[in-house]
Amino acid sequence: MTHDPAPVLHRPKRPKALISMVPMIDVMLILLIFFMVTSTYINLDMIPALQRADDASDDAPPAQVGGGGLLMVRIGADGTPTLRGQAYALADLKQLFKNKIQQNADQQVLILPSGSASMQALVSVMDIATLSGVTQLQIVRLDASP
């Protein structure tokens, strides 16, 4: 009597595991939300360096940098206020503000303190501006440069 060998069960091979994209997409969405929440937004259109093309008319003169309607005062790390690249002493800056207010009562002043500028320098420029009669004053903080 011959015995048949024991039957052998053949299992189908398991398919290779597919790499799922769902966890990666979840991580990317979490990172996107994190960076959106922690970032700051500065509207660069509020600093009119050039006249935008859609605002230009044929008979209007081109906009000037730091011209009539807006004065941009930058405060560096040493606390010195600069306007159009020229450093000003606080007394000279006060006289400049007074002259501009006499020419235009709605003179806007934008103060741009660098991230490494001292708080005292910022307060001094703000005091001078308000004592000179500036009513439209804005502050935009610049990040410290290495």
Side-chain angles (χ1 to χ4, degrees):
M1 197 165 134
T2 60
H3 288 283
D4 289 333
V8 178
L9 295 175
H10 293 285
R11 292 184 183 169
K13 288 187 176 183
R14 291 177 57 188
K16 289 185 177 181
L18 296 175
I19 297 175
S20 176
M21 298 294 286
V22 174
M24 185 183 74
I25 292 171
D26 291 344
V27 169
M28 295 302 291
L29 286 174
I30 290 171
L31 287 174
L32 176 68
I33 292 171
F34 173 77
F35 287 123
M36 286 173 54
V37 169
T38 59
S39 67
T40 58
Y41 176 75
I42 295 178
N43 184 3
L44 295 179
D45 287 337
M46 70 183 198
I47 304 174
L50 296 173
Q51 187 174 10
R52 294 187 347 204
D54 56 351
D55 291 342
S57 63
D58 293 335
D59 57 344
Q64 298 174 354
V65 176
L70 180 68
L71 288 176
M72 293 187 290
V73 179
R74 181 170 182 161
I75 303 174
D78 60 351
T80 304
T82 57
L83 181 69
R84 296 184 201 127
Q86 180 180 357
Y88 281 88
L90 295 178
D92 297 334
L93 191 63
K94 183 176 183 179
Q95 187 61 42
L96 176 74
F97 286 155
K98 284 184 179 183
N99 292 342
K100 291 292 184 175
I101 290 296
Q102 287 176 355
Q103 295 172 5
N104 181 8
D106 293 331
Q107 180 67 52
Q108 296 177 353
V109 175
L110 181 64
I111 301 175
L112 302 149
S114 68
S116 55
S118 69
M119 183 62 73
Q120 181 59 49
L122 173 63
V123 171
S124 297
V125 172
M126 289 171 53
D127 283 344
I128 287 173
T130 54
L131 290 174
S132 300
V134 174
T135 57
Q136 297 187 22
L137 180 68
Q138 293 179 339
I139 300 169
V140 177
R141 182 181 177 271
L142 300 176
D143 291 329
S145 58

